[in-house]
Amino acid sequence: MELLTAILVGVLFTAAVYLILSRSLLKIILGTGLLSHGAHLLILTMGGLGGESPPVIADGVTDFADPLPQALILTAIVISFGVTAFMLVLSYRLYAVHKTDNMNALRGNDEHD
Amino acid sequence: MTNIVLFPILIPFFFAIVLLFFKENIIVQRILVSLGLALSLVSSIFLAYIVHTDGIQTVNLGSWAAPYGISMVSDAFSALLVTTTLIVTFFVVIYSFYAIDEGRERNYYYPAILFMITGINGAFTTGDIFNMFVFFEVLLMASYVLIVLGGEKRQLRESIKYMLVNVVSSALFVITVAYLYSIVGTLNMADISVKIAEVDQPGIITVIGILFLIVFGIKGAIFPLYFWLPSAYAAPPIPILTLFGALLTKVGIYSITRTYTLFFVHDVGYTHMWLMGLSLLTIVVGCIGALAYFDLKQIIIYNIVIAVGVILYGVSLMDDFAMAGSVYYIVHDMLIKAALFLLIGIIIFVTGTSNLREISGLMKQYPGLGWVYLIAAFGLAGIPPLSGFIGKLLIVQGSFNAGHWIGAIAVLLSSLVVLLSVIRIFLYAFWGEPKETKPINRMQYKKMMIPTTLLVILSVVYGVGTEWFMPLITDSKDVLLDPSLYIDAVFKE
C-alpha cells in the first residue's frame, strides 16, 4: 500500500513541477496546489498506513492509526489554504495592474524603474 | 517566571492583535507598536540574563513531558538572536514613523511587522521541528503582506515570485519533515538528535541533511539558491527592506546552524563539506554582485549574500574559534545591515534616486550623514575597533586551525571587496561636486537620522565592548558544539 501511495505522490510532484515551470501564472498556482497535495499525502504515507481504526478512543479498540501525521496534515492544509488564497488574490491584482499573466512578460530587467 | 522564554514571542503577538482594532488611528498605532516592542525587548534582555546565569531555559507547553509536547528552548544563541531581532525592529519601527507613507500605516503595516517578529522569535526559540515550520509560515505570511503592501507595479511583479519560491520551499520543508519522521518517529529536536545518534546516521539521514540544507538554503539565500533575493528585496520600501535584509535570511542561517550542529553531526565529512563548499561559493557570488551594480540597494543586498556565506563557512568548520566567530558575526551583521539600509534610505530620501551615478557631493550639505555612513561602512568591512573585526578574526583563526587556508583567504579577500563596494558608495555619493537636489524637509531628515545613528552607535559599542558580550557568545558556542547540553536541558524533567 505504501508503495502505491509513494508512486502516486511521485506523479503528483511530477505534475506539480511541470505546471510550476510553465508560463501562465494560473497554471503555476495550480502546480503549487498539486505540490501541497503531494506533500500532505507524503506525510500520511511516511507516518505508516497501518492501524485498524481511526484515532478515536473507543471501547475495545487497541490498534489505532498514528494520530500525529494527521494533526500535522491538518495544520499544513490550513496553512497552504491561507497561502493559496493570498496568492490567488495577488495574481488577480497582478493581472489588473500588469494586464498579463505571462511570467515571461513580468521580468524585471530595469535597474531603475 | 518559567514562562519568560515565551514573552518575546507572546508580547508582539498580543500587541499585533490589539493593533488590528485601531486601523484608522495612526497615533494610537504608533504608541502601541513602540510600547509593545519596548516591552518585548526588556523581556528578551531579561531572558538573555537568565539564560546566562541559570543555563538553558526550556518550557514544555501544557506541561506534557519533553518528547510528547512542544518544547520551547532558549539557549544563549537563540536568546542573543531574539534580543538582536527586537533591537533592530525597534529602531526600524521608529524610523518608519517618518519614512512610511500614511496609506501603508493605515493598512496594517505595524501589525504585519509584529506578526513577522512573532514568527521570527518563535523560529529562534522553538524546540520542535514541525513547530519551526509553523513559525516559518507565520513570518513568511507576514512578509508576503509587507512586500506587497502599497501595491506598486514593481512590488506586485516581484512579490509573486517571492511567494512562489517560498511556497515551493515550504512544501519541501514539509516533505523533509515527513521523511525525518518516518526514520526517527519523533518531532522534538532534542529527541531527534538522540534517535539519530542511536541509529548511527545511515545514508538516508545524510540525504535528509542535504534536503534541510536545500530548504533552509532557499530561506537563507546560499549559492545556488539565492537567485530570488536581489530583485525581491529591492521592491518594497526601505524600512521593510531593512527588516527583511537584517532578519529574514538570518532565520535560515539559524536553522542551518541548529540542524547541522544538533542533528547531522555523525557524518560531518560529507554534509559539512557541502555546507563549506556552498558557503564559499556564496561569498564569491555575493562579491561579484556587490561590485557589479551601481544601485545603492543592490550593493547592500549583495552584501547580505556575502555575510550569509561568511557565517555559514564559520559554522561548517565545527571549530571552537570559528563557531564563536559565526555567533558573533551574525549579531554584528544584523545590526550593521539594518544601519546601512537605513542610511541608504536617507540618501535616497535626500536625493530622490538610488542610482549612484546621479548622486554626488552630499558631504557639503549632509556632513552628519556622511560620517555616520563612513563609520557603518568601516564596521561592515571589519576595520579593527569596530564590530565586523572580531567575528572575521575568529572565523579566519578557526579556518587556519583546521588547515583550510583557501577558505581563510576567501573570507579575507571578501572583506576587501565589501570595503571596496561600500566605500565606492561613499566616494561617489559624498565626494565630488555637489549636484542640485530638490529641497527636502530638514526636520524629517533629522528625525530619520536619530534611530539610524543610534543603531550605528550600538554596533560600535558591540565592537568596542566585545568583552561584555563574550560570555554569551562563549555559552552559545558551547551549546552548539556539544549537543548533549541541549538534550539534557530539554529532558531534565
Side-chain angles (χ1 to χ4, degrees):
Chain A
M1 193 61 192
E2 274 88 351
L3 185 66
L4 271 179
T5 45
I7 291 168
L8 179 60
V9 168
V11 171
L12 279 173
F13 283 163
T14 318
V17 170
Y18 180 77
L19 282 174
I20 287 173
L21 293 178
S22 65
R23 278 182 202 162
S24 155
L25 189 51
L26 214 51
K27 279 187 189 167
I28 293 173
I29 295 174
L30 286 176
T32 61
L34 286 185
L35 188 66
S36 53
H37 283 328
H40 300 155
L41 198 55
L42 186 77
I43 304 179
L44 195 69
T45 314
M46 297 310 261
L49 296 174
E52 294 264 299
S53 47
V56 180
I57 293 180
D59 287 339
V61 182
T62 49
D63 191 16
F64 294 111
D66 189 352
L68 193 58
Q70 302 192 10
L72 302 189
I73 293 169
L74 195 58
T75 314
I77 285 174
V78 289
I79 289 173
S80 73
F81 175 71
V83 173
T84 308
F86 191 93
M87 195 149 57
L88 281 168
V89 176
L90 185 60
S91 59
Y92 175 72
R93 281 286 299 159
L94 186 81
Y95 184 74
V97 171
H98 282 270
K99 306 284 180 218
T100 178
D101 75 332
N102 186 342
M103 286 307 273
N104 279 354
L106 292 170
R107 272 195 203 142
N109 51 4
D110 35 6
E111 205 175 319
H112 306 282
D113 57 352
Chain B
M1 282 307 272
T2 47
N3 289 335
I4 183 75
V5 172
L6 301 174
F7 279 30
I9 306 166
L10 289 182
I11 296 173
F13 184 56
F14 173 73
F15 274 87
I17 292 169
V18 172
L19 275 175
L20 294 179
F21 294 103
F22 298 100
K23 181 170 185 279
E24 294 300 324
N25 196 336
I26 293 176
I27 302 295
V28 175
Q29 282 204 50
R30 287 180 177 178
I31 293 169
L32 281 177
V33 75
S34 23
L35 180 70
L37 284 170
L39 282 178
S40 20
L41 183 56
V42 170
S43 73
S44 74
I45 290 170
F46 185 61
L47 171 64
Y49 172 74
I50 299 266
V51 168
H52 176 57
T53 50
D54 299 352
I56 302 171
Q57 297 293 307
T58 57
V59 173
N60 292 327
L61 298 183
S63 297
W64 295 95
Y68 303 112
I70 290 174
S71 320
M72 302 302 268
V73 186
S74 187
D75 64 348
F77 188 34
S78 72
L80 208 56
L81 288 177
V82 164
T83 313
T84 319
T85 302
L86 287 166
I87 290 172
V88 167
T89 317
F90 184 74
F91 286 115
V92 173
V93 162
I94 303 284
Y95 182 93
S96 310
F97 293 165
Y98 315 110
I100 280 284
D101 54 302
E102 210 172 280
R104 285 192 171 90
E105 280 187 303
R106 277 190 201 285
N107 285 290
Y108 305 113
Y109 172 72
Y110 297 121
I113 287 182
L114 288 180
F115 279 126
M116 193 167 85
I117 299 309
T118 310
I120 292 171
N121 284 347
F124 284 148
T125 315
T126 187
D128 183 287
I129 196 75
F130 195 78
N131 195 231
M132 182 183 258
F133 163 74
V134 175
F135 276 123
F136 263 93
E137 290 302 314
V138 171
L139 76 91
L140 282 175
M141 198 72 197
S143 78
Y144 302 150
V145 173
L146 282 174
I147 201 170
V148 79
L149 192 63
E152 291 160 19
K153 254 187 140 174
R154 180 176 186 182
Q155 280 183 300
L156 285 168
R157 194 184 67 207
E158 298 304 335
S159 59
I160 194 84
K161 297 173 199 165
Y162 175 75
M163 265 195 94
L164 282 170
V165 168
N166 279 302
V167 165
V168 171
S169 92
S170 296
L172 210 54
F173 197 171
V174 173
I175 293 163
T176 314
V177 170
Y179 281 139
L180 190 60
Y181 179 70
S182 78
I183 306 291
V184 296
T186 176
L187 294 167
N188 184 300
M189 281 157 68
D191 202 28
I192 291 173
S193 177
V194 173
K195 294 275 160 43
I196 288 180
E198 279 171 10
V199 294
D200 198 27
Q201 187 135 353
I204 186 73
I205 293 287
T206 309
V207 173
I208 292 170
I210 298 297
L211 272 173
F212 267 125
L213 186 61
I214 294 170
V215 170
F216 297 136
I218 296 177
K219 316 271 184 202
I222 64 173
F223 177 86
L225 307 164
Y226 71 101
F227 55 88
W228 54 272
L229 184 133
S231 55
Y233 277 20
I238 287 289
I240 300 173
L241 164 62
T242 312
L243 284 177
F244 282 22
L247 308 179
L248 288 195
T249 51
K250 306 301 179 288
V251 183
I253 297 175
Y254 166 81
S255 312
I256 291 178
T257 310
R258 186 58 82 197
T259 49
Y260 271 63
T261 52
L262 192 60
F263 297 173
F264 310 111
V265 286
H266 305 280
D267 187 13
V268 178
Y270 188 77
T271 49
H272 289 59
M273 176 200 79
W274 274 98
L275 185 58
M276 187 181 297
L278 291 180
S279 55
L280 286 177
L281 285 170
T282 310
I283 298 178
V284 173
V285 293
C287 287
I288 293 171
L291 291 182
Y293 282 90
F294 262 85
D295 182 283
L296 291 173
K297 286 183 189 174
Q298 291 294 340
I299 292 172
I300 310 294
I301 286 172
Y302 274 99
N303 270 301
I304 302 175
V305 180
I306 300 177
V308 169
V310 171
I311 296 165
L312 286 179
Y313 174 69
V315 170
S316 74
L317 289 167
M318 294 298 272
D319 170 274
D320 269 317
F321 287 105
M323 194 62 85
S326 286
V327 174
Y328 184 88
Y329 201 80
I330 192 169
V331 175
H332 146 78
D333 194 61
M334 286 162 94
L335 293 174
I336 203 82
K337 282 285 146 57
L340 272 172
F341 277 120
L342 295 183
L343 284 165
I344 296 294
I346 297 174
I347 297 178
I348 294 174
F349 169 70
V350 298
T351 60
T353 175
S354 69
N355 188 344
L356 206 47
R357 290 198 180 89
E358 293 170 13
I359 311 170
S360 142
L362 287 178
M363 203 56 168
K364 285 231 170 63
Q365 275 177 290
Y366 304 100
L369 178 62
W371 291 117
V372 173
Y373 178 81
L374 191 65
I375 293 171
F378 281 160
L380 181 70
I383 307 285
L386 301 170
S387 61
F389 173 67
I390 314 282
K392 271 193 184 144
L393 177 74
L394 289 168
I395 292 175
V396 168
Q397 201 174 346
S399 183
F400 276 123
N401 280 353
H404 291 288
W405 53 272
I406 296 179
I409 289 170
V411 170
L412 290 174
L413 283 180
S414 80
S415 290
L416 277 183
V417 175
V418 167
L419 185 63
L420 180 59
S421 69
V422 284
I423 284 300
R424 216 171 45 156
I425 295 181
F426 184 73
L427 295 184
Y428 273 84
F430 290 97
W431 285 6
E433 283 303 305
K435 274 190 184 168
E436 202 62 37
T437 51
K438 63 177 174 52
I440 54 138
N441 184 348
R442 284 302 283 214
M443 205 53 213
Q444 192 181 355
Y445 159 75
K446 278 184 186 140
K447 282 177 180 165
M448 285 161 85
M449 272 307 279
I450 293 169
T452 315
T453 314
L454 285 174
L455 210 50
V456 174
I457 290 172
L458 211 62
S459 86
V460 172
V461 170
Y462 185 61
V464 176
T466 309
E467 290 283 309
W468 305 329
F469 302 98
M470 225 45 202
L472 265 178
I473 287 158
T474 317
D475 288 355
S476 321
K477 171 209 76 174
D478 289 342
V479 175
L480 287 175
L481 287 174
D482 186 4
S484 62
L485 293 176
Y486 187 96
I487 295 163
D488 290 345
V490 174
F491 287 118
K492 69 176 187 297
E493 288 144 330

